[in-house]
Amino acid sequence: SFLGEKLLKGDKEIDTSTAFEGKKAIALYFSAHWCPPCRGFTPKLAEWYKKDLAEKGLEVVFISSDHDEASFKDYYKEQPWLALPFSARDKKAELSKKYKVEGIPSLVIVNPTDGSTITKDGRAAVLGDPTGAKLPWIPPTFQESLPEQFLKGKETVGKDAIAGKTLGLYFSAHWCPPCRGFTPKLAEWYKGIKGELGDKFEIIFCSGDRDEESMKSYYAEQCAAGGDWLCLPYDKKDDLDPLFQVNGIPTFIIVSPEGKVINQNGRGLVPAAKASEFPFQPPAIQDLESPDGINDTPSMLLMLESCAADVQEKIIQAVTPIAKEFLEKEEPELIFFAATKASGISNQIRGMCGLESAEKSHKAEVSSVDAPKLVRTMSSDTPTLVLLDIPDNGGYYVGRMAKELDGSGVKKMIEDWKNKSLDRKQLG
């Protein structure tokens, strides 16, 4: 089972294989006694579980982030459901990584059969339906979440305004300074590509404003700046947030007409992407200065700041086929970034990982002279590789490219990472 062989039910151990018979869903409850919001939410969840949810087919499994077993036992006494044994720390880490748990309390609703995610936002589902009338809380589809009407300037248009179009979903709010900084750039970019793309592409503004007047005023600013795109009505403004797990703003996501994500990091397109690059799929190796996804997914970082431009190009071309293999998976287990100049994020990564600064990096990295082809070897004269695994409690690994700069060093490092034979280091 994805939860291991044994679970706790009170002070007894039970077989996981029979624990969920007849259940519609499992709620994985990531929580800890030291966390005040957890202590506030647990009694409410316990009350709803005993009153309605258990009877309607929900089982809860407590997955502890307590600091020691005594704290776990003390906290678990208050809870009427199952628990992952505290000793199963590896399983706890595996589940946290699998379901991309970034904070607690977190309630992830999963399928009892195979552990597939139903919704990551179980807290919102339960708070909105404490009696379980809509259990197992399958989120609405993209089409079901869209309103029947949109604002278009001062007019209203129907769903046919987006039929068959690739969409840019712009999550933003006037009270947010980074949003106000990005919006004019997005409007300018939109104005520049819209004429060429016509009916192939449209942007929808999904407001995070706190009242309708603020939303309408901010939308009017967008239109005046050239962003005469669509806007969700105020009463529907949050309906798309759960589908795309929007955790902060501004967020700009490119999706297909069916709502499938094409590019999670649409902000990285602005202002340079051209209409000819439509539908704006991300490159297999992205710029480290826009590190979207780096907190959620293990990431291979090519630290190329000290390389000559032609060497950078050669390396990126060599590694791109490797990166594409991962990109094409439904859930990529690894994403790729390249640092091509010394700047904010790359300097931060070097500092976090204890690497020398790019300015001090060895002169040999700059050379574009081909290396001998006889033996593939790692060398201190080749660019640094960092495999950053933030979901694994901030783990990271440092390596080097092979002298041939042909991607073989990257492949070898990935193989060794999968085989757990690399020297794991820990971010501060």
Side-chain angles (χ1 to χ4, degrees):
S1 165
F2 68 98
L3 286 169
E5 299 304 311
K6 300 285 184 181
L7 292 170
L8 296 179
K9 186 170 186 177
D11 56 3
K12 294 179 182 169
E13 224 177 42
I14 63 169
D15 290 333
T16 308
S17 57
T18 56
F20 306 112
E21 289 174 355
K23 295 296 180 182
K24 290 182 184 175
I26 302 170
L28 303 179
Y29 184 36
F30 297 85
S31 181
H33 188 263
W34 53 260
C35 158
C38 298
R39 293 200 305 274
F41 181 63
T42 298
K44 295 177 187 173
L45 182 60
E47 179 190 339
W48 298 330
Y49 174 84
K50 289 186 283 190
K51 188 178 176 187
D52 291 297
L53 298 178
E55 186 183 329
K56 289 187 177 168
L58 182 72
E59 188 52 85
V60 179
V61 179
F62 168 44
I63 299 171
S64 171
S65 291
D66 289 297
H67 298 313
D68 54 65
E69 188 151 17
S71 303
F72 160 76
K73 285 180 175 175
D74 194 44
Y75 188 31
Y76 183 43
K77 280 178 190 170
E78 305 169 18
Q79 304 177 32
W81 40 66
L82 308 182
L84 185 75
F86 186 79
S87 57
R89 295 290 84 192
D90 286 350
K91 179 58 72 174
K92 183 259 177 186
E94 179 189 313
L95 291 167
S96 296
K97 187 173 182 179
K98 176 176 179 175
Y99 296 107
K100 299 182 178 176
V101 175
E102 294 177 5
I104 55 173
S106 180
L107 196 68
V108 182
I109 312 299
V110 303
N111 187 308
T113 310
D114 58 7
S116 58
T117 304
I118 294 174
T119 176
K120 279 187 70 177
D121 199 1
R123 278 181 75 200
V126 173
L127 287 165
D129 178 28
T131 64
K134 297 177 183 175
L135 200 151
W137 302 301
I138 296 168
T141 65
F142 180 64
Q143 290 300 328
E144 289 167 346
S145 299
L146 290 170
E148 291 303 316
Q149 293 189 314
F150 299 88
L151 303 180
K152 170 72 173 170
K154 294 180 179 177
E155 307 295 321
T156 301
V157 296
K159 256 186 178 175
D160 56 335
I162 61 166
K165 294 181 182 179
T166 297
L167 299 170
L169 305 177
Y170 182 39
F171 299 88
S172 180
H174 188 265
W175 54 260
C176 157
C179 299
R180 293 200 306 275
F182 179 68
T183 295
K185 297 174 186 172
L186 180 63
E188 191 66 28
W189 177 76
Y190 175 84
K191 195 164 57 171
I193 61 154
K194 183 63 175 164
E196 197 171 330
L197 291 180
D199 284 345
K200 294 179 186 174
F201 181 67
E202 189 53 272
I203 289 177
I204 302 174
F205 167 46
C206 312
S207 171
D209 289 295
R210 292 167 180 145
D211 58 74
E212 190 165 8
E213 193 53 46
S214 298
M215 183 196 89
K216 286 186 173 176
S217 169
Y218 186 33
Y219 177 49
E221 284 181 29
Q222 296 168 21
C223 293
D228 56 340
W229 43 60
L230 305 182
C231 173
L232 292 178
Y234 186 75
D235 62 342
K236 302 288 186 183
K237 71 183 181 71
D238 300 322
D239 287 6
L240 294 177
D241 291 32
L243 266 69
F244 299 101
Q245 295 167 18
V246 176
N247 297 318
I249 53 175
T251 292
F252 183 49
I253 302 172
I254 308 295
V255 303
S256 73
E258 299 74 37
K260 183 175 172 57
V261 174
I262 294 171
N263 192 335
Q264 190 79 30
N265 183 27
R267 283 179 68 187
L269 298 169
V270 179
K274 300 178 176 61
S276 58
E277 296 170 47
F278 178 83
F280 310 122
Q281 289 169 316
I285 302 173
Q286 299 182 65
D287 185 347
L288 186 57
E289 285 308 296
S290 298
D292 189 72
I294 203 169
N295 290 326
D296 306 320
T297 308
S299 304
M300 174 61 79
L301 315 182
L302 314 178
M303 309 303 287
L304 310 180
E305 309 99 301
S306 300
C307 298
D310 61 331
V311 177
Q312 291 181 352
E313 188 179 347
K314 174 181 175 178
I315 291 169
I316 289 171
Q317 282 181 357
V319 179
T320 291
I322 303 169
K324 274 185 175 173
E325 285 180 29
F326 287 92
L327 183 66
E328 285 162 4
K329 294 178 181 175
E330 189 70 31
E331 280 281 332
E333 60 182 317
L334 198 60
I335 52 180
F336 289 69
F337 297 95
T340 55
K341 60 185 180 209
S343 52
I345 301 290
S346 69
N347 289 339
Q348 188 181 353
I349 297 285
R350 285 184 177 273
M352 288 162 56
C353 298
L355 305 175
E356 62 184 352
S357 71
E359 287 80 1
K360 292 180 183 174
S361 200
H362 11 68
K363 301 298 180 191
E365 284 196 10
V366 182
S367 170
S368 60
V369 177
D370 283 347
K373 296 290 187 283
L374 294 176
V375 183
R376 285 185 166 83
T377 53
M378 305 304 143
S379 166
S380 60
D381 292 342
T382 57
T384 301
L385 304 172
V386 177
L387 203 162
L388 192 59
D389 195 353
I390 291 176
D392 181 27
N393 294 314
Y396 73 94
Y397 309 84
V398 178
R400 292 275 182 183
M401 295 204 69
K403 280 187 176 181
E404 296 72 22
L405 307 181
D406 58 357
S408 58
V410 175
K411 271 188 178 175
K412 179 74 167 62
M413 189 172 179
I414 294 170
E415 285 168 14
D416 290 346
W417 171 64
K418 287 183 175 180
N419 295 330
K420 300 188 186 299
S421 59
L422 291 177
D423 178 25
R424 183 188 185 281
K425 300 176 189 296
Q426 180 67 46
L427 292 175

